[in-house]
Amino acid sequence: MNTDKPRFRRLVDESLRRHFRAIKRLTEAGAYFFDYGNSFMKAVFDAGVKEICRDGENPLGGFIWPSYVEDIMGPLLFDYGYGPFRWVCLSGKDKDLEATDKAALECIDPGRRYQDYDNYHWLLRAKENNLVVGTKARILYQDAEGRAKIALRFNELVREGVIGPVMIGRDHHDAGGTDSPFRETANIKDGSNIMADTATHVFAGNAARGMTLAALHNGGGVGIGKAINGGFGLLLDGSPRTDEIIKCAIAWDVMAGVARRSWARNRAAIEVAGEYNRAGRGRITLPFLADDDLIKKLVKEKYVPGGK
């Protein structure tokens, strides 16, 4: 790479093309392949393999294989608003981590959704399995309602002096945290998958609603120029003011992403946005879904001679 960069690039491209041919043989034989979303398929396209594009020409129209967000993460988690919710016990004490585990378990109803069932049982055995991420930290996938409920309970414990301060946050790999047509927005089919609006709006809204930290950055996971990422951190200091920030900011952070996914006609996201509206938590404009059969019938009756 240092002594002959053109040759290095040529060898990388050759390797990518060989990799593509191998995967193609496997999928033609019946294997299921998905891209993690690290721009492997875009790199294959850049290496000269246009047939990896669905239309044989433009990568923005999608690839012949899905990213794992398109087939797995999106429909199973992001459409419902579930994403990586994190907390760190800033005291560094084991007893605080155990107290937050217990409090979070009390906030989760394992019978609500299968995602909550998974969270409940993951957290139930976290201590036993020594699942500490970083410095006295935990992470689990939760939706807007679950995150707010857990955060409010943690803030209450801080206020009561049961635990020290806690910092909450999330990964950028979330429903509204990132715009990236090669991963997070791969299954946004209304054309906005290539736009960097949601992560930017979430960032601005988080800042306006009082998050301790609000970040907007570029390229996480897929490379510079291929993604816009937004993140936040909120210090739970036990104050009533923090309660109010939790109530207004977490819903914005999550539901902005769910709204976008609902506008793209993702069925689960439409249902979740509707539930959010009915519960009076806010107001998300819902898409009006056309009845294709009715449209065809009306066109035939009004514009086709003889109605045929």
Side-chain angles (χ1 to χ4, degrees):
M1 186 174 180
N2 288 329
T3 59
D4 192 347
K5 193 170 184 178
R7 181 170 179 265
F8 173 81
R9 291 179 64 91
R10 188 171 64 253
L11 291 173
V12 169
D13 286 349
E14 287 176 6
S15 177
L16 285 165
R17 290 191 290 269
R18 187 169 67 250
H19 199 159
F20 168 77
R21 292 192 296 270
I23 295 171
K24 191 176 180 185
R25 285 197 298 271
L26 288 169
T27 56
E28 287 172 350
Y32 170 71
F33 171 81
F34 64 89
D35 177 359
Y36 169 70
N38 58 2
S39 276
F40 161 71
M41 290 190 289
K42 177 62 164 58
V44 169
F45 172 80
D46 291 341
V49 184
K50 289 189 175 182
E51 66 177 293
I52 200 168
C53 300
R54 282 181 186 150
D55 64 3
E57 188 67 33
N58 189 346
L60 295 181
F63 299 107
I64 59 175
W65 300 310
S67 84
Y68 83 124
V69 173
E70 192 168 358
D71 261 19
I72 302 170
M73 296 290 292
L76 296 182
L77 293 163
F78 291 167
D79 284 352
Y80 293 88
Y82 284 80
F85 174 65
R86 292 171 169 161
W87 69 87
V88 182
C89 298
L90 299 180
S91 67
K93 296 177 180 177
D94 286 323
K95 72 175 186 64
D96 282 8
L97 186 62
E98 291 175 20
T100 56
D101 283 352
K102 182 175 182 294
L105 276 169
E106 291 170 353
C107 292
I108 298 171
D109 175 7
R112 179 169 168 250
R113 288 196 184 112
Y114 68 84
Q115 297 95 332
D116 294 286
Y117 179 88
D118 288 344
N119 279 326
Y120 186 87
H121 286 277
W122 180 93
L123 203 53
L124 189 66
R125 303 186 67 181
K127 181 182 176 182
E128 174 188 338
N129 291 310
N130 195 31
L131 295 173
V132 177
V133 181
T135 306
K136 308 307 174 192
R138 290 284 191 239
I139 181 169
L140 74 158
Y141 272 67
Q142 262 299 343
D143 65 346
E145 182 181 341
R147 297 183 208 195
K149 192 173 182 180
I150 291 170
L152 286 168
R153 179 61 182 136
F154 287 177
N155 201 45
E156 185 179 28
L157 292 177
V158 175
R159 186 160 49 243
E160 294 170 350
V162 176
I163 60 174
V166 174
M167 180 69 90
I168 64 168
R170 60 159 169 75
D171 195 287
H172 66 255
H173 189 47
D174 201 9
T178 295
D179 299 317
S180 174
F182 307 115
R183 189 163 70 179
E184 282 81 2
T185 53
N187 63 345
I188 301 298
K189 304 297 187 184
D190 62 355
S192 72
N193 62 315
I194 61 171
M195 299 177 185
D197 55 351
T198 303
T200 306
H201 288 150
V202 167
F203 158 78
N206 283 344
R209 285 162 174 77
M211 292 293 198
T212 310
L213 175 152
L216 190 67
H217 44 103
N218 189 299
V222 297
I224 298 297
K226 299 184 178 72
I228 295 292
N229 316 115
F232 81 86
L234 177 60
L235 176 64
L236 307 185
D237 58 3
S239 68
R241 175 179 179 272
T242 298
D243 282 344
E244 295 308 309
I245 295 171
I246 291 168
K247 291 173 186 176
C248 69
I250 287 183
W252 170 263
D253 185 74
V254 177
M255 296 308 295
V258 174
R260 180 194 206 168
R261 304 182 80 82
S262 75
W263 298 331
R265 309 300 197 265
N266 291 4
R267 288 286 178 179
I270 294 173
E271 293 172 9
V272 171
E275 290 171 6
Y276 180 78
N277 291 345
R278 289 190 292 274
R281 299 190 184 99
R283 183 65 192 172
I284 295 174
T285 302
L286 299 177
F288 292 96
L289 302 181
D291 184 329
D292 291 338
D293 291 335
L294 178 60
I295 291 174
K296 290 176 183 177
K297 177 176 177 292
L298 292 173
V299 169
K300 282 183 178 181
E301 290 177 356
K302 300 296 183 182
Y303 299 105
V304 179
K308 297 180 181 178

